[in-house]
Amino acid sequence: MLIPGVIIVLIYSYLPMVGILFAFQKFIPVQGLFGSKWVGFDNFRYVLQMPDVWQVLWNTFYIATMKIIAGQIVPITVALLLNEMKRAFVKRGVQTLIYLPHFLSWVILGAIIADILSPSEGIVNQMLQAFGIDPVFFLGSNKWFPSVLIISDVWKEFGFSTIVYLAAITSINPSLYEAAIVDGANYTRQAWHITLPGMVPIIILLATLSLGSVLNAGFDQVFNLYSPTVYQSGDILDTLIYRIGLIDAQFGVATAIGLFKSVVSLVLISISYILAYRIANYRIF
């Protein structure tokens, strides 16, 4: 039963790793993998000398980190609020509504966000104008573009994380709440002294495991929302690799950037699993 899955993993995950050799070559497709000139670490030196590479690296780190932080705070808060809902059908309805964007691709959501934030006809700018505020070109402003990425990503994904935290809440011993009620604790006190401490293991686990995504700022999202006017604040490693590799046909340089990102991600993932084991007693094997 495992053979088909193993074959698929070998073909699509391990066989393409031969392409890592591109990072050490001046790869020319017509000359092939073994006919292209070997240049050693020249591609890596070229990358380090690129004028915008450090800004791109900072953009990637900043956007990904803020997504991780906001992606923890928002679903925890929503899960606590949903847990206090007494009407089951309302609770299930809210869960469905907030979970729905998770199933939509960034191609669809990108078009929706572009319409919502349009400086001429977008509902957000119409509301701003109603309060006497000049329209803002959110998707064309280096000041606002990172915030748009972070907020829209949280909007899309917090419903999924909320369900995880709600599942963690259901595992808390109900007798703790009964004892708190007897002692006169209100909903706020119960949430602070019982619910949150009961959620701490899963919060720590998800937070530590997310460390491996520090250099994954979301290619699909950025690619569907950014433009050359916001490269300064919105360009990330994945979009830089796309432009250098597929548009400029500098396959060796693009592979060098991708290899660097993969090595750093491997180190961060390893650290995150060690922390998850020591802090939350989480083990893969």
Side-chain angles (χ1 to χ4, degrees):
M1 293 176 63
L2 290 175
I3 290 177
V6 171
I7 293 175
I8 291 175
V9 170
L10 290 175
I11 293 175
Y12 292 102
S13 297
Y14 287 92
L15 186 60
M17 291 179 69
V18 178
I20 291 176
L21 296 177
F22 294 170
F24 307 96
Q25 294 179 326
K26 186 178 180 180
F27 180 74
I28 300 176
V30 295
Q31 295 179 356
L33 178 62
F34 299 102
S36 299
K37 180 181 178 181
W38 293 90
V39 295
F41 290 94
D42 286 354
N43 289 325
F44 294 91
R45 297 189 187 97
Y46 176 81
V47 171
L48 294 176
Q49 294 173 359
M50 292 175 61
D52 299 329
V53 67
W54 296 109
Q55 181 63 45
V56 171
L57 187 60
W58 165 251
N59 293 342
T60 305
F61 176 78
Y62 172 74
I63 293 172
T65 302
M66 294 306 297
K67 283 182 178 180
I68 292 172
I69 295 173
Q72 292 286 332
I73 295 175
V74 173
I76 291 173
T77 304
V78 175
L80 290 174
L81 294 175
L82 286 176
N83 186 56
E84 299 302 328
M85 284 189 174
K86 301 306 179 184
R87 296 183 180 273
F89 73 94
V90 176
K91 184 177 180 179
R92 288 194 296 267
V94 173
Q95 289 182 31
T96 302
L97 288 176
I98 63 177
Y99 192 36
L100 183 61
H102 174 76
F103 296 98
L104 300 178
S105 71
W106 277 112
V107 177
I108 298 173
L109 289 179
I112 295 174
I113 293 171
D115 288 338
I116 293 175
L117 301 179
S118 171
S120 57
E121 300 178 355
I123 185 173
V124 173
N125 277 300
Q126 289 182 4
M127 294 175 63
L128 293 177
Q129 288 179 324
F131 288 97
I133 303 174
D134 294 332
V136 179
F137 189 13
F138 291 98
L139 297 181
S141 169
N142 283 303
K143 176 183 178 181
W144 291 104
F145 188 72
S147 299
V148 172
L149 293 178
I150 296 165
I151 294 172
S152 59
D153 181 78
V154 172
W155 169 56
K156 182 178 187 296
E157 300 296 344
F158 85 94
F160 178 82
S161 300
T162 299
I163 292 178
V164 175
Y165 289 123
L166 283 172
I169 292 175
T170 58
S171 65
I172 299 175
N173 190 347
S175 62
L176 296 176
Y177 292 101
E178 295 172 359
I181 293 173
V182 172
D183 290 339
N186 56 22
Y187 290 123
T188 304
R189 291 286 186 180
Q190 293 175 38
W192 183 256
H193 294 287
I194 299 176
T195 309
L196 272 177
M199 296 170 62
V200 165
I202 191 66
I203 293 174
I204 294 176
L205 174 61
L206 294 181
T208 52
L209 294 181
S210 64
L211 291 178
S213 302
V214 168
L215 292 184
N216 292 322
F219 171 78
D220 292 347
Q221 178 195 22
V222 178
F223 182 75
N224 282 283
L225 292 176
Y226 85 148
S227 63
T229 58
V230 291
Y231 279 175
Q232 180 182 352
S233 63
D235 198 15
I236 61 174
L237 287 175
D238 289 333
T239 53
L240 180 64
I241 293 170
Y242 168 79
R243 292 199 310 275
I244 292 177
L246 297 182
I247 297 179
D248 297 338
Q250 299 184 54
F251 303 106
V253 177
T255 306
I257 301 174
L259 181 58
F260 165 76
K261 176 189 170 186
S262 298
V263 171
V264 174
S265 297
L266 175 62
V267 173
L268 292 174
I269 289 173
S270 301
I271 293 174
S272 68
Y273 278 118
I274 293 173
L275 293 175
Y277 170 68
R278 292 186 176 181
I279 297 175
N281 198 29
Y282 172 83
R283 301 184 64 176
I284 307 175
F285 304 108

